[in-house]
Amino acid sequence: MLATLMHPRVLTALALLVAGAGLSITAWQGPESAMLVPRIVLTIWCVMALAILIGELIHPAPRQRKTQALRARSPLPLLMAAVLIAAVATASLGLLIPVLPLVALTLWLFRIRRPLPLVLGTVVIGGGLWFLFHHVLLIRLPALLTSGLV
């Protein structure tokens, strides 16, 4: 049982659940109107982390041999770095410029390699995120450069 709990997938799901729960406590103590979207997002975050944790505990991943584990590289650190760079760049470049390469990289890592679906998915998802925040949720996000360069 302890070996199952020490598996990286279980530890990651547990860390996401703890982080989401901690952030949810902070979000539920804030003002009602300003914290509606973060409360919804953090609730979804916690439910997904709990589902992943339960799924990993019920059906643990098969053990890999050490030679296979050394050769297999996870794209997760690359994606995490790209999300961090896009989040920081959004403050000065607006939403669309950092999000479009991030969405393209994410689709590429999910093995969508044909040019038309990759470009179409990037434009629809990246533009759709801006449309969702700007017009549906009424959270005004800048579309393009906001640092005074243009």
Side-chain angles (χ1 to χ4, degrees):
M1 179 70 175
L2 185 62
T4 303
L5 292 176
M6 296 306 291
H7 193 276
R9 289 183 180 180
V10 174
L11 292 175
T12 302
L14 189 59
L16 287 172
L17 181 62
V18 169
L23 291 170
S24 293
I25 291 170
T26 305
W28 283 97
Q29 293 175 353
E32 182 73 28
S33 61
M35 297 306 279
L36 179 63
V37 174
R39 288 177 185 168
I40 293 169
V41 170
L42 287 169
T43 302
I44 294 170
W45 174 335
C46 290
V47 168
M48 291 302 297
L50 187 61
I52 291 169
L53 182 63
I54 291 170
E56 287 295 329
L57 290 175
I58 291 174
H59 300 290
R63 291 236 176 238
Q64 293 181 347
R65 284 185 258 148
K66 289 197 176 198
T67 57
Q68 286 180 339
L70 291 176
R71 275 187 273 151
R73 301 269 168 118
S74 173
L76 188 60
L78 173 65
L79 189 58
M80 290 170 63
V83 168
L84 181 63
I85 290 169
V88 171
T90 300
S92 61
L93 297 178
L95 183 72
L96 286 179
I97 294 173
V99 163
L100 290 177
L102 176 65
V103 170
L105 174 68
T106 304
L107 291 174
W108 181 267
L109 291 175
F110 282 121
R111 295 188 177 98
I112 297 176
R113 306 277 166 87
R114 294 187 329 209
L116 183 62
L118 182 66
V119 171
L120 190 62
T122 299
V123 171
V124 168
I125 293 171
L129 282 172
W130 177 81
F131 183 83
L132 173 72
F133 279 100
H134 198 76
H135 293 291
V136 177
L137 298 174
L138 299 176
I139 299 173
R140 302 294 183 210
L141 296 175
L144 295 173
L145 297 173
T146 59
S147 63
L149 296 174
V150 176

